[in-house]
Amino acid sequence: MTPGNRPHLDETADRLARRPWPATPLRPGVRVSFEFFPPATEKAEAKLANCAEQLAPLSPAFVSVTYGAGGTTRDRTQNAVERLRTETDLNVAGHLTCVGSTKSEVASVVDDYFVSGVRHVVALRGDPPEGETDGTVEGGYRSAIELVAGLRKHGDEAGLDDLQISVGAYPEVHPRAASAQADLDNLKAKLDAGADRAISQFFFDTDVFLRFLDAARTAGISAPIVPGIMPVTNFANIARFAERCATAIPEWMHSLFADLDDAPEVRQLVAATVAAEQCRRLAEHGVNHFHFYTMNQPELTAAVCRILGLRPVAGAADEAVSA
Ligand code: FAD
């Protein structure tokens, strides 16, 4: 076979030759952030502490702790945030949902964050309780747009000129949105109301995110839109979660993870490869900040960060939380 008969192979060889890994960062200035969920038991607390300890040396731009819709994890989230703040030198962001809460309840959560030294809030509407379509309450914020405006005002009144606000974005369109355009308009309105950046729902079809980024830029959104990367810790769980969020799982992923339920080591290797490849493609298109949904499990995220070219910074681990 002559080279001319196999253009796809030549193209692959070209691409591999241009690939900068593993000795140098995939792109100069790669930044990462990590999302944790609040632990419910002492054992889970130790697991989160270990996760933070493992990932802290990678010097994330920030780490964030999720918050149950309707305030269901208020104390646990606050405790996890407090602990990460006091026991590590990580820049900690607290998530906050407004569904099911009055404005004054929201203000009191935010004040607790401020007292803990938190200066970054991930502001979300949250999902309504099962069986309801709205979930907002009398005296509460009716959308994330209103929440962002309220937070920005609250921060200004507290004299915090360094308050960062992040919001959610949906490359595959939020399942409750009236249309893709309405969803994009909503994102723009959240940013115009005072948010600094958007963090995306996780996705597996990288082209979908790249098209969404193009559409957002065309719509006049200039704020950073950070892709949410979900390394596949457990395929069955993630498939269920993806269905609820309207995140598509491409056929090739079903095939890749098929029959690996009893082969956790192989599954981990496959999962790291998939997530690293996704980041590599995004980086090729100029993306340089990746937000990892860690599921409080550090290994996969650490492996992908390593492939991205990140290396532990000496001393950063010393400050990490102790279990
Ligand atoms: P909005 O910006 O208000 O809405 C997004 C889109 O969905 C808009 O198009 C809007 O019109 C439409 N929409 C949403 N809900 C409704 C509704 N009830 N009626 C009509 N239209 C609606 N959830 C948590 O509970 N805790 C968390 O910590 C958390 N963290 C998240 C982090 C990220 C990065 C992301 C992307 C999501 C997170 N979520 C979390 C999920 C989020 O709360 C849900 O997706 C929620 O349904 C929408 O929140 P939002 O702030 O994006 O809402």
Side-chain angles (χ1 to χ4, degrees), residues 174-253:
H174 189 283
R176 286 199 172 83
S179 67
Q181 188 57 50
D183 209 21
L184 203 54
D185 293 345
N186 178 73
L187 174 60
K188 186 166 188 315
K190 289 193 284 192
L191 291 158
D192 290 346
D196 300 285
R197 77 183 57 69
I199 303 172
S200 91
Q201 184 60 279
F202 69 94
F203 56 92
F204 296 111
D205 185 339
T206 307
D207 288 329
V208 165
F209 179 85
L210 293 171
R211 282 198 294 272
F212 174 70
L213 202 53
D214 275 350
R217 298 297 177 234
T218 305
I221 294 174
S222 56
I225 301 180
V226 182
I229 306 294
M230 174 76 87
V232 177
T233 40
N234 176 318
F235 188 70
N237 283 352
I238 292 215
R240 267 195 301 276
F241 191 29
E243 198 177 340
R244 287 213 304 274
C245 308
T247 292
I249 301 205
E251 199 45 51
W252 58 262
M253 268 185 79

Side-chain angles (χ1 to χ4, degrees), residues 35-36 38 64-73 77 94-99 122-128 132-136 142-148 166-171 173-187 190 198-202 226 228 241 245 291 293:
E35 185 171 303
F36 304 135
S64 72
V65 183
T66 60
Y67 185 93
T72 44
T73 67
T77 298
H95 289 219
L96 176 62
T97 61
C98 60
V99 145
V122 183
L124 302 140
R125 176 201 289 250
D127 290 313
E132 286 185 37
T133 52
D134 183 29
T136 52
R142 283 169 303 160
S143 72
I145 305 170
E146 286 190 5
L147 173 64
V148 170
S166 296
V167 291
Y170 301 89
V173 184
H174 189 283
R176 286 199 172 83
S179 67
Q181 188 57 50
D183 209 21
L184 203 54
D185 293 345
N186 178 73
L187 174 60
K190 289 193 284 192
I199 303 172
S200 91
Q201 184 60 279
F202 69 94
V226 182
F241 191 29
C245 308
H291 181 78
Y293 295 107

Side-chain angles (χ1 to χ4, degrees), residues 73-86:
T73 67
R74 176 179 174 163
D75 291 345
R76 283 196 281 128
T77 298
Q78 183 62 41
N79 289 343
V81 162
E82 180 82 31
R83 200 158 169 210
L84 288 164
R85 273 281 307 154
T86 53

Side-chain angles (χ1 to χ4, degrees), residues 39-92:
T41 62
E42 261 178 42
K43 199 171 156 205
E45 264 181 42
K47 198 171 166 194
L48 173 57
N50 173 56
C51 188
E53 185 177 10
Q54 301 286 318
L55 297 176
L58 295 169
S59 297
F62 62 88
V63 299
S64 72
V65 183
T66 60
Y67 185 93
T72 44
T73 67
R74 176 179 174 163
D75 291 345
R76 283 196 281 128
T77 298
Q78 183 62 41
N79 289 343
V81 162
E82 180 82 31
R83 200 158 169 210
L84 288 164
R85 273 281 307 154
T86 53
E87 298 181 23
T88 77
D89 64 354
L90 292 165
N91 182 3
V92 186

